[in-house]
Amino acid sequence: MLDGVMLLWFLLTALSLLFVAVDIRTTPESTVLKWGFILLTAYTGPFGAFLYVLGCREPLPGLHERYVATRWRQVLGSTMHCVAGDGVGILAGAVVAGVFHFPPTLDIALEYILGFGFGWAIFQALFMRDMAGGSYARALSSTFFPELLSMNCLMAGMVPIMTWAMKNTAMAHEPTGPAFWFVMSMALLVGFITAYPMNWWLVSRHMKHGMMTIRFSNKPTNEDTMHASASEHSHDAHTAPARRAEKQTQEPGSKRTLAGMTILSFIVFGVGLGIAVLLTRF
């Protein structure tokens, strides 16, 4: 029965990925977030496509700005960006651990290090450095704690599902088999859910960005001037949160709040690890 479920899942994932990859080209979203939705759909199949349609796809021409302005869609974009970037490193770590038959503890540690490293240094700081004024060093500094908090909550959801499913599913440790990729997809899907509340807090504090709207025009008309002006305002609107977040984290009260949320994120991660230990006994 599981083989049939996996076959259906991979078929739906292929169709969903094809739809998102083709359709998102006309969506006035940033290139990084477009690739983020493609990666998320590759991880989570029809759920990723559903989130793209519900949270980012422009319902009618000219409405994208208003459509994505709602808080939950902004948080969706933030969480998607986290899972898409971290997921690349996490999957790379899982593949290496599977090939070399690492024990579970080393497997989780490698996935965490690679996931955090790729998500922070590449998907957050490098690809979004324009939001920090073009400075990669400043981008690394401003995105470290948001990435850390989000990563901890992502792994808190992933680890229990991953460890339990791999123990109870035949060939789930082998990256060459479909069971491995099915288990990792389910784990990333649950991780997305557990990371969402933390991203809500981060977006509400202007420490992470959400959806964007970027429009391009090929005709050099007065309308282009309006589009260019709108793009400048859009850029200012999205660089402002990074500047506000940097200023806030320098204030004593904000530092205490950030320290508290960092501790909370590690507690959540610890709870996830504890649940994983309990589940491996069954």
Side-chain angles (χ1 to χ4, degrees):
M1 180 178 178
L2 181 59
D3 290 341
V5 171
M6 288 193 294
L7 177 60
L8 178 61
W9 173 259
F10 291 130
L11 286 174
L12 290 175
T13 297
L15 292 173
S16 299
L17 184 59
L18 178 62
F19 164 72
V20 173
V22 172
D23 188 83
I24 205 169
R25 293 183 300 172
T26 59
T27 299
E29 184 56 82
S30 74
T31 301
V32 175
L33 294 186
K34 285 183 178 182
W35 278 106
F37 267 113
I38 292 173
L39 286 171
L40 182 68
T41 306
Y43 303 156
T44 63
F47 293 99
F50 174 76
L51 291 174
Y52 160 66
V53 172
L54 194 64
C56 182
R57 189 173 190 261
E58 191 170 34
L60 291 172
L63 292 183
H64 191 261
E65 292 87 344
R66 293 171 59 188
Y67 187 68
V68 301
T70 56
R71 175 61 58 84
W72 75 265
R73 288 191 176 95
Q74 289 293 308
V75 178
L76 170 62
S78 173
T79 311
M80 175 275 299
H81 191 200
C82 164
V83 175
D86 295 352
V88 174
I90 290 170
L91 289 174
V95 169
V96 172
V99 170
F100 293 99
H101 304 289
F102 287 173
T105 303
L106 186 56
D107 181 0
I108 293 170
L110 182 61
E111 290 180 30
Y112 187 98
I113 292 170
L114 292 182
F116 178 78
F118 188 87
W120 172 47
I122 305 298
F123 228 67
Q124 291 285 351
L126 180 62
F127 290 168
M128 307 303 292
R129 65 188 181 278
D130 288 345
M131 295 181 64
S135 170
Y136 182 58
R138 185 182 299 172
L140 284 172
S141 175
S142 64
T143 58
F144 177 80
F145 279 105
E147 175 64 22
L148 179 66
L149 270 59
S150 188
M151 177 67 177
N152 284 343
C153 294
L154 168 63
M155 290 295 289
M158 281 194 66
V159 172
I161 301 300
M162 183 177 62
T163 53
W164 179 83
M166 286 194 171
K167 179 185 177 183
N168 293 279
T169 306
M171 301 297 292
H173 286 282
E174 298 297 331
T176 55
F180 172 88
W181 298 102
F182 179 74
V183 167
M184 294 306 297
S185 290
M186 296 301 104
L188 282 164
L189 178 58
V190 174
F192 179 95
I193 295 171
T194 56
Y196 189 89
M198 181 60 77
N199 277 268
W200 187 289
W201 183 82
L202 291 167
V203 170
S204 69
R205 292 301 183 101
H206 307 292
M207 296 180 69
K208 287 193 73 178
H209 67 86
M211 301 292 187
M212 302 179 187
T213 299
I214 298 179
R215 298 187 184 277
F216 299 97
S217 177
N218 295 323
K219 297 180 180 180
T221 62
N222 290 335
E223 188 176 355
D224 281 347
T225 305
M226 295 174 62
H227 284 171
S229 177
S231 296
E232 291 175 2
H233 286 300
S234 177
H235 175 75
D236 292 341
H238 286 94
T239 56
R243 292 194 296 267
R244 286 198 298 268
E246 186 175 357
K247 181 178 179 180
Q248 286 176 349
T249 54
Q250 294 173 354
E251 299 174 357
S254 295
K255 286 184 177 180
R256 288 193 294 270
T257 302
L258 182 59
M261 293 303 291
T262 302
I263 293 172
L264 176 61
S265 73
F266 276 105
I267 291 174
V268 172
F269 185 26
V271 170
L273 291 174
I275 294 173
V277 171
L278 292 175
L279 289 176
T280 54
R281 297 179 180 178
F282 296 96

